[in-house]
Amino acid sequence: MSGNRDRHGRGVRGPLSTVNPLTRQAAPVPDQPSPEELFQQCVQDSIEHIGRTCPEALLGVDIGIETVPSRAAMWQEFVSHDAVPLAAAIDKDADHPARIALFRRPIERRAIDRVELAMLVHRTLVEQLSMLTNRSIRDIDPELDEDW
């Protein structure tokens, strides 16, 4: 029998350890968060970080997550329609507050691992807030590396 427990890419199947003689149960396998949960946690962590460094930048701004940009989101501000945006920012108007939409799949595709995903989410959110609030990136997050 092969040592590979992930047959056909469907995840781990079957028990990974023998039964514990004291509890008479196999050791539980910790669940990994789904990609959606991981992305949502990265966004939440980024919002909390910005809330500590520059809370006034978040005032009056709704932040949401979309899976992919819709055709309507390919607004005229993008020079090349071949490029897929990572996020979109909409200024407030009479009916709606300012809004930022982070596009999960394009951001995930550009990140190599979880650490880079968290960094890219944070960087994208700070850039969008910077455009909406007319603050510099350093004002919103002094620790952010501008050359990244």
Side-chain angles (χ1 to χ4, degrees):
M1 181 173 186
S2 171
N4 186 1
R5 302 291 297 181
D6 186 9
R7 297 183 201 112
H8 307 290
R10 293 183 295 213
V12 178
R13 303 281 188 229
L16 293 178
S17 65
T18 58
V19 176
N20 183 330
L22 299 174
T23 61
R24 302 207 191 306
Q25 295 178 1
V29 178
D31 290 334
Q32 293 292 325
S34 69
E36 295 86 5
E37 293 169 340
L38 180 63
F39 190 85
Q40 192 170 19
Q41 185 61 47
C42 289
V43 172
Q44 187 63 38
D45 292 345
S46 179
I47 291 171
E48 289 173 5
H49 181 76
I50 294 168
R52 288 189 302 272
T53 59
C54 186
E56 56 274 0
L58 295 171
L59 294 176
V61 179
D62 287 344
I63 300 170
I65 299 171
E66 292 185 24
T67 306
V68 293
S70 65
R71 243 346 185 181
M74 296 293 208
W75 300 310
Q76 51 277 32
E77 64 190 64
F78 296 110
V79 175
S80 170
H81 289 287
D82 297 335
V84 177
L86 299 180
I90 304 172
D91 274 330
K92 65 180 181 177
D93 59 15
D95 299 329
H96 303 295
R99 294 169 288 181
I100 295 175
L102 297 170
F103 303 129
R104 182 176 64 85
R105 295 300 304 249
I107 292 174
E108 285 176 342
R109 296 288 294 166
R110 285 174 176 82
I112 295 171
D113 57 12
R114 291 174 180 222
V115 173
E116 191 170 321
L117 177 66
M119 290 172 47
L120 186 56
V121 165
H122 183 66
R123 176 70 185 204
T124 304
L125 184 57
V126 168
E127 287 175 354
Q128 296 299 315
L129 280 170
S130 175
M131 288 187 335
L132 276 179
T133 62
N134 294 324
R135 296 174 186 269
S136 73
I137 290 174
R138 287 278 183 208
D139 288 343
I140 296 172
D141 187 358
E143 302 165 3
L144 193 63
D145 181 19
E146 291 193 33
D147 296 330
W148 187 74

